[in-house]
Amino acid sequence: MISFRKELWLEAPTRRAFINITPQVEQCLRESGIREGLCLVNAMHITASVFINDDEPGLHHDYDAWLERLAPHAPVSQYRHNVGEDNADAHMKRQIMGREVVVAVTDGRLDFGTWERIFYGEFDGRRRKRVLVKIIGE
Amino acid sequence: MISFRKELWLEAPTRRAFINITPQVEQCLRESGIREGLCLVNAMHITASVFINDDEPGLHHDYDAWLERLAPHAPVSQYRHNVGEDNADAHMKRQIMGREVVVAVTDGRLDFGTWERIFYGEFDGRRRKRVLVKIIGE
Amino acid sequence: MISFRKELWLEAPTRRAFINITPQVEQCLRESGIREGLCLVNAMHITASVFINDDEPGLHHDYDAWLERLAPHAPVSQYRHNVGEDNADAHMKRQIMGREVVVAVTDGRLDFGTWERIFYGEFDGRRRKRVLVKIIGE
């Protein structure tokens, strides 16, 4: 069994953002040399997500509006977590979108459906944050 | 390490449906010959889910009504993704229910609690779609 | 490849609770002897979650209030699942928080970001329930 590990660093200039990290994960897979196995990609921060969906700006706008409706940022005083913080909503948005994805590796490639792309979902940005890529297989 | 891959094809006759795919995944596991490992089951489409819950029609009705309340299909004009599309809500419902499950394989079986069953959740049906089963182990 | 399996038993004294199970999962990893691989932790019950987030009581209070707003327990008559049951809302809350986490194992440790901790989320407690820990690697 081979195992491969790499951290990706990201810094969104805005509080919330969706960033396509598929090319970086594909690069990790090439570096690993793994042909068959599983690839875990997870946010290392608890106010961010890694998820798989469509690379379409209209949809990302819809996601942002929808998440803000389900877990509004303001008023920040509505959340007990926000004592010296203002990011409680980010902890909720991240649960809906998910912490991690596990992707099959087949014949040296991410085994994706036609429109699947991996995104980093940032809900408390404007600082450097990390995503972990761990691949096991052979 | 052994790896096994198979695509399951599904076609729901309605826009939304929940389909128990546990027997097909169990069949994959038997075909693989794997006794110990991990089994990934994921939707290959971004308007569908794979999740684990109860095989109970009342609950599935409740899920459908609940998801429709959290991410309504209509009016389709409320979503920017719906330019030439009408499935933005399906991309949201799928995030709540999840893209994938990872199931332990122990002694040649899916290592489940009493009521755990694997479902395909369709939110934009009436066409053929795929689920990926990838099993690694030995 | 080595594989390790253990069930953790939990009994929350209340209907809903969040319990930090990170120390038990770390103990499993030590017992396994695995240095590189993947660690799956999943609820074996369909009204409970395993998720990763912050060990902060204010946040847990916020999660509880937020989940109750998105999927209210009462009136129980609003759910068709509640025929002889009263836990339909628990099946929904569990979908938002998730069934499982997959954690990278690197150099014999859970490969976590600074604030990542594993929680058992109970939504229909007051009875003994199980969490599965499955680790594969070498």
Side-chain angles (χ1 to χ4, degrees):
Chain A
M1 199 194 81
I2 306 171
S3 71
F4 175 91
R5 176 197 196 272
K6 192 167 190 176
E7 293 178 4
L8 310 178
W9 286 85
L10 297 115
E11 181 167 358
T14 48
R15 183 184 299 277
R16 295 194 295 272
F18 298 115
I19 300 169
N20 185 343
I21 57 171
T22 315
Q24 292 95 313
V25 178
E26 287 172 335
Q27 177 59 27
C28 287
L29 182 52
R30 281 190 294 270
E31 288 178 30
S32 76
I34 292 171
R35 305 286 300 171
E36 293 290 327
L38 294 177
C39 174
L40 168 70
V41 188
N42 69 263
M44 299 185 75
H45 297 258
I46 54 189
T47 51
S49 287
V50 170
F51 68 95
I52 286 176
N53 217 293
D54 196 1
D55 194 5
E56 198 281 295
L59 179 66
H60 296 178
H61 175 275
D62 293 334
Y63 272 145
D64 188 55
W66 176 66
L67 291 167
E68 185 59 15
R69 184 162 62 80
L70 293 186
H73 176 69
V76 297
S77 62
Q78 74 192 293
Y79 302 112
R80 290 200 193 171
H81 181 60
N82 287 339
V83 177
E85 303 256 18
D86 69 350
N87 64 5
D89 65 301
H91 291 270
M92 289 162 197
K93 288 166 171 136
R94 117 72 169 254
Q95 289 306 124
I96 289 181
M97 299 303 276
R99 167 188 179 262
E100 79 216 8
V101 296
V102 178
V103 182
V105 174
T106 302
D107 200 21
R109 303 189 64 171
L110 298 175
D111 196 337
F112 270 156
T114 310
W115 301 106
E116 289 191 288
R117 299 293 180 277
I118 307 175
F119 287 88
Y120 175 70
E122 177 61 84
F123 306 114
D124 186 32
R126 298 173 294 190
R127 53 201 174 95
R128 296 186 78 217
K129 291 167 94 168
R130 288 180 294 162
V131 165
L132 180 65
V133 180
K134 182 89 180 189
I135 313 172
I136 69 166
E138 61 183 22
Chain B
M1 198 194 81
I2 306 171
S3 70
F4 175 91
R5 177 198 195 271
K6 192 168 190 175
E7 293 177 4
L8 309 178
W9 285 86
L10 296 115
E11 182 166 358
T14 48
R15 183 184 299 276
R16 295 195 295 272
F18 298 116
I19 301 170
N20 185 343
I21 58 171
T22 315
Q24 291 95 312
V25 178
E26 288 172 335
Q27 177 59 28
C28 288
L29 182 53
R30 280 191 296 269
E31 288 177 31
S32 75
I34 292 171
R35 305 286 299 171
E36 293 290 327
L38 294 177
C39 175
L40 167 70
V41 188
N42 69 265
M44 299 183 76
H45 298 257
I46 53 190
T47 51
S49 287
V50 170
F51 67 96
I52 285 176
N53 218 293
D54 197 0
D55 194 4
E56 198 281 296
L59 179 65
H60 296 177
H61 176 275
D62 294 335
Y63 273 146
D64 189 56
W66 176 65
L67 291 168
E68 186 58 17
R69 184 161 63 79
L70 293 186
H73 176 70
V76 297
S77 61
Q78 74 190 292
Y79 302 112
R80 291 201 192 170
H81 181 60
N82 287 338
V83 176
E85 304 256 17
D86 69 351
N87 65 5
D89 65 301
H91 291 270
M92 289 162 196
K93 288 165 172 138
R94 117 72 168 254
Q95 290 305 125
I96 289 180
M97 298 304 275
R99 167 188 180 260
E100 78 215 11
V101 296
V102 177
V103 182
V105 174
T106 303
D107 201 21
R109 304 189 63 169
L110 298 175
D111 196 337
F112 270 156
T114 310
W115 302 106
E116 289 191 289
R117 299 292 180 277
I118 306 174
F119 286 89
Y120 175 70
E122 178 60 84
F123 305 114
D124 186 32
R126 299 174 293 190
R127 54 200 173 95
R128 296 187 76 215
K129 291 167 95 169
R130 289 179 294 163
V131 165
L132 180 65
V133 181
K134 182 88 181 189
I135 314 172
I136 69 167
E138 62 181 24
Chain C
M1 197 194 81
I2 305 171
S3 71
F4 176 90
R5 177 199 194 270
K6 192 168 190 174
E7 293 177 5
L8 310 178
W9 286 85
L10 297 116
E11 181 166 358
T14 48
R15 183 185 300 276
R16 294 195 295 272
F18 298 116
I19 301 170
N20 185 343
I21 58 172
T22 315
Q24 292 95 311
V25 178
E26 288 172 334
Q27 177 59 28
C28 287
L29 182 53
R30 281 191 294 271
E31 289 177 29
S32 76
I34 292 171
R35 304 286 299 171
E36 293 290 326
L38 293 177
C39 175
L40 168 70
V41 187
N42 69 264
M44 299 184 76
H45 298 258
I46 54 190
T47 51
S49 287
V50 170
F51 68 96
I52 286 176
N53 218 294
D54 196 2
D55 193 6
E56 199 281 296
L59 178 65
H60 297 178
H61 175 276
D62 293 335
Y63 273 146
D64 189 56
W66 176 65
L67 291 167
E68 186 60 16
R69 184 162 62 80
L70 293 186
H73 176 69
V76 297
S77 61
Q78 74 191 293
Y79 302 112
R80 291 201 192 170
H81 181 60
N82 287 338
V83 177
E85 305 256 17
D86 69 350
N87 64 6
D89 65 301
H91 291 270
M92 288 160 199
K93 288 165 171 138
R94 117 72 169 254
Q95 289 306 125
I96 289 180
M97 298 304 276
R99 166 188 180 261
E100 78 216 10
V101 295
V102 178
V103 182
V105 174
T106 302
D107 200 20
R109 305 190 64 171
L110 298 175
D111 196 337
F112 271 157
T114 311
W115 301 106
E116 289 192 288
R117 300 292 181 278
I118 307 175
F119 286 88
Y120 175 70
E122 178 61 85
F123 306 114
D124 186 33
R126 298 172 295 191
R127 54 200 173 94
R128 296 186 77 217
K129 291 167 94 168
R130 288 179 294 162
V131 165
L132 180 64
V133 180
K134 183 88 181 189
I135 313 172
I136 70 166
E138 62 181 23

